Amino acid sequence: MSGGGSYSNSPSENPYFYDAHHIFIPYCCGDWHIGQVTEPTNETWGLYFDGHYIVKNILDVLIEKYDISKAKNILINGQSAGAIGTFMNLDFIADYLNTTENGIRIKAAPNSGWFFAGNTSDQRSQPMMPPNDYEHYIVMNDATNGGWGHDSSVPDLWDAYLQPNCVEDLKSKGKDTWHCFSVHNLYPYIKTPVFIMNNQFDSDEITNEMAMPNVVNATTE
């Protein structure tokens, strides 16, 4: 495929990757590309969340029809949800393609996928947790925390694929393995080289996931 940025086939716009093979995976699963729900139920509102299997099946096609196992260099990237999926699936992709045995150099460059931050100033007692949402943050009480990513409800809903090394280590330490759902906790376990691009402050996280008001009024000023 051809497009803009790292997908462009123009040497002036994309000098390092213009002549590479470009493979684009549309974001149609709504689960950061890590869901494993193949049978919709009432609990999933009749929806499929099977993004991880989409990635796997695309890899199968690339292996069987396009000989990707003969590639010399592979760069995985994505933006926002695609970047989160890059973090989450990167080592899986490397292992699935037997990159070490096949002599493939694989790296990643996720853009805006660090969901979520940890070691936050409002939750000193829980360094693995993401930032509080606005409702809990304004309480300014470390004993009252909550919001997106503070429990296992979303990874449970998606039956999320979580990086096995992270899961095994947290389990051995008696910690909840769903914490591997946060890139802050996952990152130390990633083996494949990663070049990270991320804003210090992400407007989507702040106003959507963390629900901070984006207007000034009598309630918020």
Side-chain angles (χ1 to χ4, degrees):
M1 65 163 289
S2 177
S6 60
Y7 293 109
S8 172
N9 58 10
S10 167
S12 59
E13 181 179 357
N14 187 22
Y16 298 107
F17 304 106
Y18 74 94
D19 59 350
H21 296 285
H22 300 142
I23 301 158
F24 178 72
I25 302 178
Y27 186 46
C28 58
C29 51
D31 60 16
W32 296 355
H33 303 279
I34 60 174
Q36 299 179 106
V37 176
T38 58
E39 295 292 336
T41 64
N42 290 334
E43 286 71 26
T44 66
W45 310 300
L47 299 175
Y48 296 87
F49 293 108
D50 55 358
H52 178 68
Y53 290 129
I54 292 174
V55 172
K56 178 182 178 296
N57 289 336
I58 289 175
L59 291 175
D60 286 335
V61 171
L62 294 173
I63 292 169
E64 295 168 9
K65 294 188 176 182
Y66 297 96
D67 290 328
I68 195 173
S69 298
K70 296 180 181 178
K72 297 301 181 184
N73 299 285
I74 295 177
L75 177 67
I76 311 293
N77 70 359
Q79 296 186 14
S80 192
I84 306 171
T86 297
F87 280 113
M88 299 288 181
N89 286 295
L90 180 55
D91 283 344
F92 169 80
I93 294 171
D95 291 340
Y96 201 76
L97 295 177
N98 294 314
T99 52
T100 301
E101 295 83 349
N102 290 324
I104 301 172
R105 185 171 62 168
I106 183 170
K107 298 182 180 181
N111 186 343
S112 304
W114 195 278
F115 281 61
F116 296 96
N119 289 322
T120 59
S121 60
D122 56 329
Q123 295 177 107
R124 294 299 187 186
S125 65
Q126 300 184 66
M128 299 179 74
M129 289 291 192
N132 280 311
D133 63 9
Y134 183 75
E135 177 185 352
H136 292 86
Y137 177 80
I138 59 175
V139 176
M140 297 301 287
N141 182 347
D142 196 15
T144 305
N145 299 308
W148 223 105
H150 279 76
D151 57 37
S152 66
S153 57
V154 175
D156 288 347
L157 172 67
W158 296 346
D159 188 18
Y161 171 81
L162 301 177
Q163 213 260 21
N165 291 338
C166 179
V167 170
E168 182 178 349
D169 188 52
L170 293 192
K171 185 181 295 185
S172 71
K173 295 174 180 177
K175 298 181 179 179
D176 293 325
T177 57
W178 62 263
H179 284 297
C180 297
F181 181 70
S182 172
V183 173
H184 168 75
N185 301 314
L186 163 68
Y187 182 71
Y189 301 94
I190 297 176
K191 299 176 294 183
T192 307
V194 182
F195 181 83
I196 299 167
M197 296 173 282
N198 216 85
N199 293 327
Q200 182 176 6
F201 302 104
D202 188 310
S203 60
D204 178 72
E205 286 193 50
I206 293 173
T207 60
N208 290 332
E209 281 75 25
M210 307 309 170
M212 187 182 81
N214 58 5
V215 295
V216 176
N217 55 39
T219 303
T220 61
E221 67 177 349

